[in-house]
Amino acid sequence: MNYTQAFQSVNLLALLTWLFIIFLPNMKYTKRIVFGFTIFLLSVVYAWMVFSTFKMDDFKEFSTLQGLMTLFQSEQAVLLGWIHYLAFDLMVGLYILDNGQKANIKHVFLVPCFLFTFMFGPAGLLIYRIIRYFHQKNLLDY
């Protein structure tokens, strides 16, 4: 499998998982699919790629912007970064789903948060926190 195919595969997997979060939030296995399957699988692929690709000297490049720019000139490094984003955005989506359900926020209000998290990561979390604030009047609660 080449990097383009791997990119398409992880994107499809993430998209399908987001569909579970958005359309089947109360299904018995949705949270297990998100965390126990998709995030786990993305983590395995990510870890395998990191440990089979990077050399110890490469890790010092993470300390400067120029070093990161140098690292991310390869397709493999960009794919690694993308898998990282997909896994962590799904973790944020899972947090929003779980926390929103515990706070009794109607799912329809969570959907825009999921869409923004899927596309713009932290912006979706920010929108969720604002919605939660207006729902509970407490910005600092977890």
Side-chain angles (χ1 to χ4, degrees):
M1 180 180 290
N2 64 36
Y3 296 127
T4 299
Q5 292 168 325
F7 176 81
Q8 291 169 341
S9 297
V10 296
N11 272 345
L12 180 60
L13 177 63
L15 176 61
L16 293 173
T17 305
W18 279 107
L19 293 175
F20 274 91
I21 292 172
I22 293 169
F23 294 110
L24 300 168
N26 297 315
M27 188 179 81
K28 182 178 180 180
Y29 296 106
T30 292
K31 292 176 185 176
R32 286 183 182 179
I33 289 168
V34 175
F35 187 76
F37 179 74
T38 302
I39 293 172
F40 177 77
L41 183 59
L42 289 172
S43 298
V44 168
V45 171
Y46 179 84
W48 176 78
M49 287 181 70
V50 164
F51 294 116
S52 67
T53 301
F54 285 109
K55 298 165 192 66
M56 288 306 289
D57 286 344
D58 292 332
F59 288 99
K60 68 182 176 192
E61 300 297 334
F62 284 95
S63 65
T64 67
L65 181 59
Q66 188 61 41
L68 280 176
M69 291 170 60
T70 300
L71 279 176
F72 283 98
Q73 289 180 359
S74 74
E75 285 182 327
Q76 188 172 22
V78 173
L79 179 60
L80 272 168
W82 189 244
I83 293 170
H84 185 279
Y85 279 120
L86 291 174
F88 277 85
D89 286 352
L90 281 166
M91 282 297 297
V92 171
L94 190 59
Y95 163 77
I96 292 169
L97 176 62
D98 192 53
N99 192 269
Q101 288 174 338
K102 288 177 183 172
N104 295 315
I105 298 172
K106 292 182 180 179
H107 189 73
V108 69
F109 295 117
L110 300 179
V111 171
C113 306
F114 299 139
L115 296 174
F116 272 87
T117 301
F118 177 57
M119 296 301 296
F120 305 111
L125 180 60
L126 175 63
I127 293 168
Y128 170 70
R129 297 300 296 177
I130 292 168
I131 289 170
R132 185 159 182 255
Y133 172 77
F134 284 107
H135 187 264
Q136 293 191 320
K137 303 293 188 227
N138 189 339
L139 190 60
L140 300 178
D141 274 356
Y142 175 76

